[in-house]
Amino acid sequence: MELRPVTPRSRARPAGPQSLTAEPPPSILDTGTQSRSPLAVSERPRVHGKFLVVGDERFYVRGVTYGTFRPRDDESEFPEPEIAERDFELMARCGVNAVRVYSVPPIWLLDAAQRCGLRVLVGLPVERYIGYLADPRKRGPDVMGLVRSAAERFAGHPAVLAYSIGNEIPAAVARWHGAKRIERYLERLYHAAKDADPEGLVTYASYPSTEYLSLPFLDLACFNVFLESPERLESYLGRLQTLAGDRPLVMGELGLDAYRNGDLAQSRSVDWQVRTAFGAGSAGVFVYSWTDEWYRGGEDVRDWRFGLTTRDRRPKPALHAVRRVFAESPFPPNGTWPKASVVICTYNGSRTLRESLEACSRLDYPDYEVIVVDDGSTDETAAIAREYPCRLISTENRGLSRARNTGYEEATGSIIAYIDDDAYPDPHWLRYLATTFERTGAAAVGGPNLSPHDDGWIADCVGNAPGNPVHVLVSDHEAEHIPGCNMAFRKSALETVGGFDPLFRVAGDDVDLCWRITDAGMKIGFSPAAVVWHHRRNSVRAFWRQQRGYGRAEAMLERKWPERHDQDGHIAWEGRIYGKGAIRALTWRRSRIYHGVWGMAPYQSLYEPAPGVWASLVQTPLWYLTMAALAVLSLLSLDWSPLRITAVAFALGLALSLVQAGKNAAHATFSTPVRGAWDAARRRIVIAALYLAQPAGRLWSRLMYRAKHPQPRGKMRMRDVRPRKTATWSETWTSPEARLTALESALRREGGLVRRGGNYDRWDLEIRWGAFGCARALMAVEEHGGGSQLARIRTWPSLAGRGPLLVLGAGSLALGAAVDGAWMASLALGAIALFFAARTLADLATAGSAMRKAVDQVSAGP
């Protein structure tokens, strides 16, 4: 028995046998310049980041689908060899370089494709047998054996582009079995194909109705999408790029039915569909399909004309459009490109600078310059830069932000693209950035940064750990943050916000600038195809130093941007963090699949809540402080037995940390080859250790920064803890917003962390001092006519953080220990309670004093 899914594109009608002309009409070759005869393929493509390469050259898939056809006597679903050969020759002359087939082809078909310079996406139609999963007792075909035997037959054949282990498993079937079972089924098929042909690429052709399937093991992502609006297709391609992650995205099918829409509409649609797909950073497309001849479900289909040629191979207008758009893709040959300035800021970066400059010199962009800002290096950095066609600007060591400001001030391009000295760009990096600038009108654009495949297994482990440069997206096309190793700005936008803040000498400058750009009402775009390759730290020690530097930058950002942090000092991102090291939270909230009523939604997606602070608590500095407190209390339990519960809590917390780190390590994907079970085990052990070390390193640096740069404190006066009301009469009208802005500026001059009240707060401004105290202000302005105003300001202290809880908890435990006669524990706990009580009062008094001074300054006027 053979199970076949019902196609959603049309209903089949009975038809008679097809007829074929002996030769294709010559009219297809008399428009434009005739293509040269292609050379026979001799090497397979391989994955390189978001794209495919053959040797050292980028390979964009410009393909068409082929079949399925009425089975011949030998049961192969393909035309006669001489017909297929003529089809392939005509494809090659029209700029096609790949063919997608839906069933296992005979070897002669791959040989014919090789002679014509075509590569074949080999379809392994396992979706026909998916029904056997519903009843495993019923004997069905050996699907694993079918996949393995097909891959063994074609192993090493240079015409194989990739294997597709299935095409569009019906949404109802996937819903019946459940996503996890389908995912495991496809993963087994993937490994079966890989075992038989280790060098072969393997994919699965999904479609919007099963978009939710998580298949990270595939070598490339492949989707069939039929949308008849450019805006909708562009929007959906952004989502598909997010789902594809670091892998290439290939459009497995796109096109339009000329039977219902007409030949001219099909031609126009195919043109913009292909252009949109390439413009969105796809690694290639397959146009559906080569010919109107189509056999499905035991019948020839007549009410269907997706083909670029008719059933007898006469060209349709769509074929002319495809030939033209393939020749002009992925970028139009005669487009206008703004001048770009590539800025590399370096400090003692001689180890990797040469690689970065070498890649920059090979950028495929018509008008750009490279500027190297040497920030006081003492190694061979300057000498290396002089070997390449770039402008070298040498300065004393002033920090990363000043170096970046120097770069954009000296740049002559309208786009300023920054890349680190330990990173190198993809050849089309600037083109994708410029395209996104033009399409979105954004002030800044960023892209992904990927780990090179030859950095060693330690760097591969670091690439799977948290703490690497990542992008934060608020949508599939708009970012909240782009990392400094891959970010570009309009020069006018940098001038508007004043460039980078010199306060940030090592890190944090990119976050600060992104926030200032969005606060100025400008947008940050994201291009998934604007790739740079960024070297990860190649030792655990280097990773630890990096995280300590990031921890210092976080403390500086918290002091400058308190309104973008919560009370525990965590950045409150509005978007979602993407990257290989993104934390898989321990949470009770389950992901859900949107199927639609009765499972009939055409687009069925996965809803997975973003991990908040509580969901990923064990990865936060607060968790580590809590664990340290539990460890201290566990020691005191030696003197007072009731505290032994804290030892149990400490053990449970430690176990929870290990489980979370192990969960993240188990989902790691490696770029370098894994050699055996021991190699895989040690990598996952290292990744788990990095998950534990990363927040500890950042916490340590944040605490050290606060200790070395404490907030200034005046003389503590207890009267400043009391609430206060002031009223100021003015004969000159001033808007309430201006008064509050002046008060905010005065508060910032006092040195505390200042926040504005939110939409639901009953206060306007808050100044926070230390970890436990803050003061708040509320303003009301009375209008008395003629411009006269009475401005009232009420201020009051407020407890911040967990100071009162710590005082109450430690004090209660101290009292209990004293009652039981455990004097050592009682004294220690009492000292802890007194310490937190004194800190809380000091913070309250200092915050109240700063608020009082600021209110007095504003009330006194200029």
Side-chain angles (χ1 to χ4, degrees):
M1 186 177 82
E2 184 179 18
L3 303 180
R4 299 177 182 269
V6 177
T7 176
R9 296 190 185 94
S10 68
R11 293 175 299 173
R13 295 180 181 175
Q18 65 272 25
S19 61
L20 298 173
T21 57
E23 294 291 340
S27 59
I28 188 62
L29 301 178
D30 60 12
T31 57
T33 304
Q34 182 169 331
S35 304
R36 294 183 302 171
S37 298
L39 299 176
V41 298
S42 59
E43 187 176 353
R44 282 183 172 183
R46 55 187 174 84
V47 171
H48 185 66
K50 295 286 293 180
F51 298 98
L52 300 173
V53 295
V54 176
D56 295 329
E57 299 293 327
R58 174 70 50 81
F59 180 77
Y60 284 101
V61 176
R62 302 178 176 93
V64 295
T65 66
Y66 197 59
T68 53
F69 300 98
R70 176 183 288 275
R72 296 190 296 123
D73 293 339
D74 60 0
E75 297 186 355
S76 66
E77 300 175 352
F78 297 94
E80 296 294 334
E82 60 273 14
I83 297 174
E85 183 105 23
R86 287 199 301 270
D87 284 340
F88 289 172
E89 289 175 355
L90 183 55
M91 291 178 191
R93 293 188 180 187
C94 292
V96 174
N97 62 13
V99 179
R100 180 186 175 189
V101 298
Y102 293 91
S103 56
V104 180
I107 194 68
W108 62 258
L109 188 132
L110 267 69
D111 294 338
Q114 180 187 6
R115 289 192 297 271
C116 295
L118 304 178
R119 290 175 170 84
V120 181
L121 176 58
V122 178
L124 308 179
V126 299
E127 72 279 356
R128 300 179 182 180
Y129 314 107
I130 193 72
Y132 287 104
L133 285 178
D135 190 358
R137 296 169 299 176
K138 186 176 295 185
R139 289 183 59 85
D142 180 9
V143 179
M144 297 296 162
L146 292 176
V147 170
R148 190 175 294 106
S149 63
E152 286 175 349
R153 187 191 315 168
F154 304 132
H157 200 295
V160 173
L161 172 66
Y163 300 100
S164 177
I165 49 172
N167 176 68
E168 295 187 9
I169 291 176
V173 175
R175 184 167 176 247
W176 174 272
H177 292 292
K180 293 298 181 184
R181 192 175 184 190
I182 297 296
E183 290 163 4
R184 290 192 295 266
Y185 174 70
L186 291 175
E187 186 170 10
R188 293 196 300 270
L189 295 175
Y190 167 85
H191 289 296
K194 277 291 189 181
D195 291 342
D197 188 359
E199 301 301 322
L201 303 179
V202 181
T203 187
Y204 162 74
S206 188
Y207 69 132
S209 297
T210 55
E211 167 200 301
Y212 54 81
L213 292 176
S214 178
L215 308 171
F217 47 85
L218 296 176
D219 297 313
L220 59 147
C222 185
F223 276 86
N224 306 334
V225 179
F226 293 85
L227 286 170
E228 299 180 11
S229 164
E231 295 77 19
R232 291 183 178 180
L233 179 59
E234 181 179 353
S235 177
Y236 193 62
L237 284 169
R239 174 161 181 77
L240 293 183
Q241 286 283 15
T242 301
L243 296 175
D246 295 348
R247 299 169 300 168
L249 171 65
V250 174
M251 304 309 297
E253 293 177 2
L254 51 80
L256 188 71
D257 181 14
Y259 184 86
R260 293 162 181 82
N261 298 279
D263 289 344
L264 293 180
Q266 180 195 29
S267 174
R268 289 191 295 267
S269 180
V270 168
D271 183 280
W272 64 255
Q273 284 180 355
V274 173
R275 294 184 192 277
T276 302
F278 278 117
S282 299
V285 300
F286 286 95
V287 178
Y288 190 85
S289 72
W290 174 247
T291 173
D292 285 342
E293 180 190 354
W294 192 43
Y295 181 87
R296 191 67 165 168
E299 299 174 313
D300 289 314
V301 181
R302 292 288 187 179
D303 63 340
W304 175 97
R305 292 211 306 262
F306 275 84
L308 301 178
T309 64
T310 63
R311 296 173 61 84
D312 57 1
R313 303 310 195 267
R314 294 187 178 276
K316 296 160 65 175
L319 183 56
H320 295 268
V322 164
R323 182 172 182 240
R324 180 178 61 253
V325 74
F326 276 174
E328 298 175 357
S329 297
F331 307 106
N334 300 319
T336 57
W337 300 91
K339 184 174 182 179
S341 298
V342 179
V343 178
I344 305 174
C345 301
T346 181
Y347 173 69
N348 289 340
S350 59
R351 186 175 65 87
T352 55
L353 180 62
R354 189 185 304 277
E355 181 182 41
S356 181
L357 289 172
E358 186 69 32
C360 286
S361 67
R362 297 195 301 267
L363 284 170
D364 178 19
Y365 195 78
D367 189 9
Y368 75 100
E369 63 178 350
V370 179
I371 300 174
V372 176
V373 182
D374 180 10
D375 189 35
S377 298
T378 57
D379 60 2
E380 300 299 318
T381 293
I384 293 173
R386 293 189 183 98
E387 299 176 10
Y388 292 89
C390 66
R391 272 203 292 158
L392 174 64
I393 302 174
S394 297
T395 67
E396 60 183 3
N397 183 246
R398 301 179 300 170
L400 179 59
S401 289
R402 290 185 183 274
R404 283 179 168 163
N405 284 337
T406 299
Y408 98 78
E409 290 165 358
E410 295 294 326
T412 60
S414 60
I415 294 176
I416 315 297
Y418 289 95
I419 187 171
D420 286 355
D421 60 0
D422 60 348
Y424 59 93
D426 177 84
H428 291 154
W429 176 53
L430 288 179
R431 287 190 183 268
Y432 283 114
L433 289 176
T435 300
T436 306
F437 273 114
E438 180 181 2
R439 188 179 70 251
T440 64
V445 175
N449 63 99
L450 309 181
S451 303
H453 296 164
D454 54 355
D455 277 357
W457 72 274
I458 290 289
D460 201 0
C461 292
V462 170
N464 280 279
N468 290 295
V470 294
H471 49 276
V472 182
L473 300 183
V474 294
S475 72
D476 295 316
H477 299 277
E478 186 175 347
E480 183 180 2
H481 166 251
I482 49 179
C485 60
N486 185 7
M487 59 182 182
F489 304 88
R490 296 184 190 272
K491 188 173 183 179
S492 58
L494 289 175
E495 293 170 343
T496 299
V497 299
F500 295 86
D501 188 344
L503 174 69
F504 301 94
R505 292 181 55 88
V506 178
D509 56 310
D510 49 356
V511 179
D512 172 72
L513 182 61
C514 288
W515 285 344
R516 286 190 285 126
I517 283 179
T518 54
D519 279 0
M522 295 180 279
K523 292 185 178 181
I524 302 174
F526 183 76
S527 173
V531 173
V532 302
W533 299 90
H534 185 221
H535 293 286
R536 311 307 184 194
R537 300 301 187 266
N538 57 5
S539 70
V540 175
R541 182 178 180 182
F543 175 78
W544 175 261
R545 289 198 303 267
Q546 180 192 42
Q547 299 313 306
R548 290 184 58 185
Y550 288 164
R552 175 186 171 88
E554 285 180 343
M556 298 166 67
L557 286 168
E558 181 187 7
R559 183 159 294 187
K560 181 176 180 179
W561 298 90
E563 67 275 12
R564 291 185 177 268
H565 294 73
D566 60 22
Q567 64 175 358
D568 297 313
H570 309 124
I571 296 178
W573 295 111
E574 296 180 5
R576 191 162 188 170
I577 300 174
Y578 287 89
K580 293 180 70 173
I583 297 171
R584 293 179 178 269
L586 294 175
T587 176
W588 61 89
R589 295 186 298 173
R590 298 178 59 187
S591 60
R592 293 184 297 170
I593 298 173
Y594 169 76
H595 293 288
V597 178
W598 296 345
M600 300 300 291
Y603 290 80
Q604 301 182 14
S605 58
L606 179 72
Y607 172 73
E608 189 172 12
V613 172
W614 290 106
S616 55
L617 181 62
V618 296
Q619 200 67 28
T620 63
L622 174 63
W623 177 263
Y624 281 66
L625 291 174
T626 303
M627 293 294 291
L630 289 175
V632 172
L633 293 176
S634 299
L635 293 176
L636 293 177
S637 68
L638 299 175
D639 184 59
W640 188 37
S641 58
L643 286 180
R644 291 174 184 171
I645 188 65
T646 61
V648 177
F650 177 77
L652 291 175
L654 182 60
L656 196 60
S657 296
L658 294 174
V659 169
Q660 199 264 1
K663 176 183 178 181
N664 285 276
H667 286 86
T669 56
F670 301 110
S671 302
T672 54
V674 179
R675 297 177 175 85
W678 161 243
D679 188 25
R682 70 170 179 174
R683 293 190 188 203
R684 300 195 188 279
I685 291 172
V686 170
I687 294 172
L690 295 177
Y691 267 92
L692 296 173
Q694 184 261 347
R698 294 200 177 192
L699 173 62
W700 176 259
S701 288
R702 289 170 66 173
L703 295 176
M704 291 298 100
Y705 178 83
R706 292 172 181 174
K708 293 180 181 179
H709 303 85
Q711 292 176 286
R713 293 180 181 272
K715 185 178 180 180
M716 186 179 71
R717 296 174 297 187
M718 295 310 298
R719 69 174 186 176
D720 293 330
V721 179
R722 297 192 298 268
R724 181 189 182 207
K725 294 181 181 179
T726 62
T728 304
W729 179 265
S730 173
E731 300 289 342
T732 304
W733 187 88
T734 305
S735 68
E737 292 82 2
R739 293 180 184 273
L740 286 171
T741 300
L743 179 58
E744 182 181 28
S745 300
L747 287 172
R748 293 191 185 278
R749 288 194 294 270
E750 293 298 317
L753 302 180
V754 181
R755 289 199 309 160
R756 294 184 177 186
N759 295 330
Y760 303 98
D761 293 321
R762 294 190 62 189
W763 49 271
D764 296 320
L765 289 169
E766 174 190 86
I767 182 169
R768 183 171 177 175
W769 220 282
F772 307 124
C774 69
R776 290 172 176 170
L778 176 66
M779 176 180 286
V781 178
E782 298 178 5
E783 303 290 346
H784 289 270
S788 299
Q789 293 176 310
L790 180 64
R792 301 181 185 272
I793 302 178
R794 178 161 61 93
T795 62
W796 67 94
S798 179
L799 295 172
R802 296 168 176 82
L805 292 176
L806 294 173
V807 173
L808 181 62
S812 300
L813 291 174
L815 181 60
V819 171
D820 287 349
W823 299 109
M824 182 178 297
S826 178
L827 289 175
L829 291 168
I832 293 173
L834 289 175
F835 170 77
F836 284 121
R839 282 296 306 271
T840 300
L841 288 174
D843 291 345
L844 286 171
T846 308
S849 177
M851 180 65 77
R852 178 186 292 267
K853 290 181 182 179
V855 170
D856 291 343
Q857 292 175 15
V858 173
S859 300

